[in-house]
Amino acid sequence: MASGGGSVDRGVDFANYFCTYAFLYHQKEMLSDRVRMDAYYNAIFKNQDHFRGKTVLDVGTGSGILAIWSAQAGARRVYAVEATKMSEHARELVKANGLEDIVEVIESSMEDVILPEKVDVIISEWMGYFLFRESMFDSVICARDRWLKPTGVMYPSHARMWIAPVRSGLVDKKTEDYESAMDDWHNFVNDTKAYYGVDMGALTKPFCDEQKKYYLQTSQWCSLHPEQVIGTPAVIKEIDCLTTSIDDILKVRAQFSSSITVETARFSGFGGWFDVQFRGSTSDPARCVIELTTAPSTVDLTHWGQQVFFLRPAPRVCQGDLVSASFSMERSKMNHRLMEVEFAYGIKDCPPVTSKWYIE
Amino acid sequence: MASGGGSVDRGVDFANYFCTYAFLYHQKEMLSDRVRMDAYYNAIFKNQDHFRGKTVLDVGTGSGILAIWSAQAGARRVYAVEATKMSEHARELVKANGLEDIVEVIESSMEDVILPEKVDVIISEWMGYFLFRESMFDSVICARDRWLKPTGVMYPSHARMWIAPVRSGLVDKKTEDYESAMDDWHNFVNDTKAYYGVDMGALTKPFCDEQKKYYLQTSQWCSLHPEQVIGTPAVIKEIDCLTTSIDDILKVRAQFSSSITVETARFSGFGGWFDVQFRGSTSDPARCVIELTTAPSTVDLTHWGQQVFFLRPAPRVCQGDLVSASFSMERSKMNHRLMEVEFAYGIKDCPPVTSKWYIE
């Protein structure tokens, strides 16, 4: 299995991951993300020549929306692959929209599916938080290597990860919550000793580690206002969906720098987001290039939001200060769909600080 | 494996179930439940003759508290079995309390463990919501049948399930939440048709089913005030932990009746709770019988609370009205640790109504 993280028990992976996607409520959340929907809708209908008379594979079709649009845009045949029972709803929806002669919904993991032919287009909405959470792009790579014609195009065709210094009051809230959890713990240890004669003190260190991980070392989903971005954003990873291999995305490493653009602020953390582009391919470029961005915005909010990695302490910075950092991201050893991130960052001439976060 | 629900993939079961117990935060919640702690503490220390010089097996020791108390009460040897990594913390705690020569922490599922000897006492805090959720008593039965001496005692020794008619304003809130979710859905269907040319109407029925299950057909954790109980409580199941078999608990069926004890009220639902007793055994009774009850209370609140099965519609009842019902509970086919409950109930001379709920 192209898990990229060694062998993965499929039953466990299903229990941990796929099960969420079997709820219509969750599908509705994604289908109500107007930025996401508009981007895919426009990418398809403003580039209908990529679809008219063509064969299309939709990887992880969910409720089937991308497969249905592909068919409406003129595809000859659409294979819509979905690992969960959502496939049954997708099949209903295809039928209700009169497209059952064009769209074939297949309940299977992408890694197992056998198609009767290669396809002209692979379309997929595979992006997780900060692009790679969920590691679903692995399945898109698998689909591409097995089923895309040499002349085929990827929808989307490119993707980028971005990072910028941000400010946020949440950094204090997180610290307070952590401290309050530890205060509770100390009272609990005292009470347990006094009432029940057992010394729980030996667990203070592991409890502290657990709470620190939860409150301080786990990235936070945020919907940042653009004014919370206090430095120049940097691209830390760019992929061409047509050529990227699993090895290219297993670990993401980058050096970047950002200069502070506001007069003065507290540098609360690094904000991370992504964008994807629908450019077609070099030999068959899109007529109309569409971009889907999850950058901080006042109007174009997405369910992805941004991931914020809070700093402790959060230093004061001034306009023109240079933040230099090296970034690395790997998959969690315990669950290949979750990520572990490290920043080694320095501000102006201060010695660099290294911190680690989990994307859960 | 004594799962009682056919074959269970252990990795999946771990991902779905055991993983929660690997967090110290969760252990602390249970260790802070004063009613639970007092009951076990008193059961052990007021019946030290059951422990002094004896061998004890703690099934699912968690952080090790019951094993430690057993040792402090004079046990010669305590085997503390725990399936999760919490075993490492239990081992630390045992050592920090100077009991490493008496308590042996074993990381294993109960079904797999091999002990060097049979034991005099099996102690376990195995109770889930409404007693049987989590199906952990299966592991206690397995432990008992394999490792308890013929003269051994069970801690706790007995357990009972209770049901009573209750009133609660939450019944309206639930209905409103459901209706609001459906209103949202209808807007979503209209918007998706208007903006994106896809008719989602075919999914209205399954979405409605999903939301109905979530809001209306899933029992609700409540901490009921005793005055919310509007009828006489009935025992619907009683087990002797020393003799009960898996077959006895796989399905719970009961007929019961309750008479309304308040002048007038809305009969919002059935409230379910449990109690357990520490009575020792017939040949070796407890010196001091202790009871742990999760019944509605103003002072003795537990983390188990009560499970409420809300009725729709919630009928008006008056003092003296007789509610007759048949109850049945089975394990969910998808997850043997979750339950499905059915009530067929009639009030006075009205024809009976049958409804189904999930304990999730």
Side-chain angles (χ1 to χ4, degrees):
Chain A
M1 178 176 178
S3 74
S7 91
V8 175
D9 182 295
R10 293 195 183 191
V12 173
D13 195 32
F14 203 94
N16 280 329
Y17 174 63
F18 284 108
C19 58
T20 322
Y21 289 97
F23 288 97
L24 281 168
Y25 181 82
H26 185 68
Q27 295 290 333
K28 174 172 169 283
E29 290 293 301
M30 296 187 294
L31 293 164
S32 301
D33 180 333
R34 199 55 76 80
V35 175
R36 171 184 181 272
M37 290 286 275
D38 283 350
Y40 276 88
Y41 184 83
N42 289 327
I44 295 169
F45 288 99
K46 293 189 174 173
N47 294 289
Q48 291 202 35
D49 43 334
H50 274 154
F51 292 85
R52 210 171 287 120
K54 301 294 177 63
T55 51
V56 178
L57 167 56
D58 178 4
V59 180
T61 198
S63 60
I65 189 80
L66 301 184
I68 288 171
W69 283 342
S70 299
Q72 288 176 335
R76 175 173 68 73
R77 189 86 185 130
V78 182
Y79 303 100
V81 177
E82 169 60 33
T84 76
K85 284 284 162 208
M86 192 51 59
S87 61
E88 295 172 8
H89 297 316
R91 208 169 284 128
E92 279 178 80
L93 211 54
V94 164
K95 205 173 163 198
N97 285 271
L99 298 166
E100 68 269 36
D101 292 341
I102 296 168
V103 180
E104 182 182 347
V105 178
I106 305 166
E107 185 180 319
S108 169
S109 76
M110 194 60 237
E111 288 70 17
D112 293 323
V113 84
I114 304 289
L115 302 182
E117 61 183 326
K118 294 216 168 187
V119 299
D120 300 298
V121 180
I122 287 179
I123 192 165
S124 179
E125 197 281 83
W126 52 267
M127 298 85 74
Y129 291 150
F130 202 25
L131 195 60
F132 285 127
R133 185 180 172 279
E134 302 184 26
S135 296
M136 184 183 159
F137 193 63
D138 292 13
S139 298
V140 176
I141 291 178
C142 166
R144 181 197 70 196
D145 292 350
R146 293 177 63 200
W147 301 110
L148 188 66
K149 291 181 188 170
T151 53
V153 295
M154 301 293 289
Y155 270 70
S157 61
H158 295 79
R160 292 184 297 187
M161 293 168 75
W162 290 85
I163 292 213
V166 301
R167 60 179 160 200
S168 164
L170 259 182
V171 70
D172 297 320
K173 173 78 167 64
K174 289 269 187 183
T175 306
E176 278 163 32
D177 287 348
Y178 164 70
E179 282 166 2
S180 152
M182 287 311 300
D183 288 347
D184 268 2
W185 173 264
H186 293 302
N187 290 333
F188 163 74
V189 170
N190 290 339
D191 288 355
T192 308
K193 181 73 194 157
Y195 294 123
Y196 303 116
V198 176
D199 181 1
M200 289 273 166
L203 299 187
T204 298
K205 171 76 169 58
F207 183 79
C208 174
D209 290 347
E210 185 186 295
Q211 298 298 302
K212 216 176 244 171
K213 179 177 172 187
Y214 180 75
Y215 285 112
L216 306 176
Q217 298 174 326
T218 301
S219 61
Q220 167 77 37
W221 186 96
C222 288
S223 185
L224 294 168
H225 190 282
E227 289 188 359
Q228 290 182 269
V229 176
I230 60 168
T232 49
V235 172
I236 54 159
K237 179 78 178 177
E238 180 151 20
I239 64 166
D240 179 340
C241 300
L242 200 56
T243 56
T244 297
S245 70
I246 299 232
D247 275 347
D248 294 333
I249 60 168
L250 261 186
K251 297 181 182 180
V252 177
R253 290 185 201 290
Q255 304 277 341
F256 68 93
S257 60
S258 167
S259 58
I260 300 302
T261 50
V262 297
E263 200 169 332
T264 177
R266 218 143 58 104
F267 175 18
S268 314
F270 290 102
W273 62 87
F274 68 88
D275 57 26
V276 301
Q277 292 85 36
F278 302 83
R279 299 189 210 157
S281 65
T282 317
S283 57
D284 192 5
R287 210 174 266 259
C288 173
V289 173
I290 299 291
E291 179 172 88
L292 162 54
T293 176
T294 65
S297 166
T298 51
V299 286
D300 290 332
L301 310 180
T302 73
H303 77 283
W304 285 287
Q306 297 84 40
Q307 289 286 307
V308 178
F309 307 88
F310 287 116
L311 305 185
R312 267 199 332 151
R316 284 239 144 248
V317 289
C318 301
Q319 194 153 33
D321 282 353
L322 195 71
V323 177
S324 301
S326 70
F327 168 89
S328 86
M329 185 170 87
E330 299 189 8
R331 300 175 179 197
S332 159
K333 277 167 202 67
M334 297 296 287
N335 180 344
H336 76 290
R337 298 191 183 275
L338 304 180
M339 304 287 151
E340 296 181 11
V341 161
E342 199 174 87
F343 285 92
Y345 57 97
I347 302 158
K348 286 185 294 185
D349 309 323
C350 302
V353 179
T354 299
S355 287
K356 197 175 165 175
W357 287 266
Y358 301 87
I359 305 180
E360 297 270 87
Chain B
M1 177 178 179
S3 74
S7 91
V8 175
D9 181 294
R10 293 195 183 192
V12 172
D13 195 32
F14 203 94
N16 279 331
Y17 173 64
F18 285 107
C19 58
T20 321
Y21 289 97
F23 287 98
L24 281 168
Y25 181 84
H26 186 70
Q27 295 290 334
K28 175 171 169 281
E29 291 292 301
M30 295 187 295
L31 293 165
S32 302
D33 181 330
R34 200 53 77 79
V35 175
R36 171 184 182 272
M37 290 286 275
D38 283 351
Y40 276 89
Y41 184 83
N42 290 328
I44 294 169
F45 288 99
K46 293 190 174 173
N47 294 290
Q48 291 202 37
D49 43 333
H50 273 155
F51 292 85
R52 212 172 285 122
K54 300 293 177 65
T55 50
V56 178
L57 167 57
D58 179 4
V59 180
T61 197
S63 61
I65 188 80
L66 301 185
I68 288 171
W69 283 341
S70 300
Q72 288 176 336
R76 176 175 66 73
R77 189 86 184 130
V78 182
Y79 303 99
V81 176
E82 169 60 32
T84 75
K85 284 284 163 209
M86 192 51 59
S87 62
E88 295 173 8
H89 297 316
R91 210 169 284 128
E92 279 178 79
L93 212 55
V94 164
K95 204 174 163 197
N97 286 273
L99 298 166
E100 68 269 39
D101 293 340
I102 296 167
V103 179
E104 182 182 347
V105 178
I106 303 166
E107 185 180 320
S108 170
S109 76
M110 195 60 236
E111 288 70 17
D112 292 324
V113 84
I114 304 289
L115 302 182
E117 60 183 327
K118 294 216 168 188
V119 298
D120 300 298
V121 180
I122 287 179
I123 193 165
S124 179
E125 196 282 82
W126 52 267
M127 298 85 74
Y129 291 150
F130 203 26
L131 195 61
F132 285 127
R133 184 179 173 280
E134 302 184 29
S135 296
M136 185 180 158
F137 194 64
D138 292 13
S139 297
V140 176
I141 291 178
C142 166
R144 182 197 69 196
D145 292 350
R146 292 176 63 199
W147 302 110
L148 189 67
K149 291 181 188 171
T151 54
V153 296
M154 300 292 290
Y155 268 72
S157 61
H158 295 78
R160 293 185 295 188
M161 293 169 73
W162 290 85
I163 292 208
V166 302
R167 60 178 158 201
S168 165
L170 261 181
V171 70
D172 297 321
K173 172 78 169 64
K174 290 269 189 184
T175 306
E176 278 162 31
D177 287 350
Y178 163 71
E179 283 166 1
S180 152
M182 287 311 300
D183 288 347
D184 268 3
W185 173 264
H186 293 301
N187 289 332
F188 163 74
V189 170
N190 289 340
D191 288 356
T192 309
K193 182 73 195 160
Y195 294 122
Y196 302 117
V198 176
D199 182 1
M200 291 273 167
L203 299 186
T204 297
K205 172 75 167 59
F207 184 80
C208 174
D209 291 345
E210 184 186 296
Q211 297 298 301
K212 215 177 246 171
K213 179 179 173 187
Y214 180 76
Y215 286 112
L216 306 177
Q217 297 173 326
T218 300
S219 60
Q220 168 78 38
W221 186 96
C222 287
S223 184
L224 294 168
H225 190 282
E227 289 189 358
Q228 290 182 269
V229 176
I230 60 168
T232 49
V235 172
I236 54 160
K237 179 78 178 175
E238 180 150 20
I239 63 167
D240 179 340
C241 300
L242 200 55
T243 56
T244 297
S245 68
I246 298 235
D247 274 349
D248 293 333
I249 60 168
L250 261 185
K251 297 180 183 181
V252 178
R253 291 184 201 289
Q255 304 276 341
F256 68 94
S257 60
S258 167
S259 59
I260 300 300
T261 50
V262 296
E263 200 169 331
T264 178
R266 219 143 58 104
F267 175 18
S268 314
F270 291 102
W273 63 87
F274 67 88
D275 56 28
V276 301
Q277 291 84 36
F278 302 83
R279 300 189 210 157
S281 65
T282 315
S283 57
D284 192 6
R287 208 175 270 260
C288 173
V289 172
I290 299 292
E291 179 172 88
L292 162 54
T293 176
T294 64
S297 167
T298 51
V299 286
D300 290 332
L301 310 180
T302 73
H303 76 284
W304 285 288
Q306 297 84 39
Q307 289 286 309
V308 177
F309 307 88
F310 287 116
L311 306 185
R312 266 198 334 152
R316 283 238 145 248
V317 288
C318 301
Q319 194 152 33
D321 282 353
L322 194 71
V323 177
S324 301
S326 69
F327 168 89
S328 85
M329 184 170 87
E330 300 190 6
R331 299 175 180 198
S332 158
K333 277 168 200 68
M334 298 297 287
N335 181 344
H336 76 290
R337 298 191 184 276
L338 304 180
M339 303 289 152
E340 295 180 10
V341 161
E342 199 174 88
F343 285 92
Y345 57 98
I347 302 160
K348 288 185 295 186
D349 309 322
C350 302
V353 178
T354 299
S355 287
K356 197 175 165 175
W357 287 267
Y358 302 87
I359 305 181
E360 296 271 88

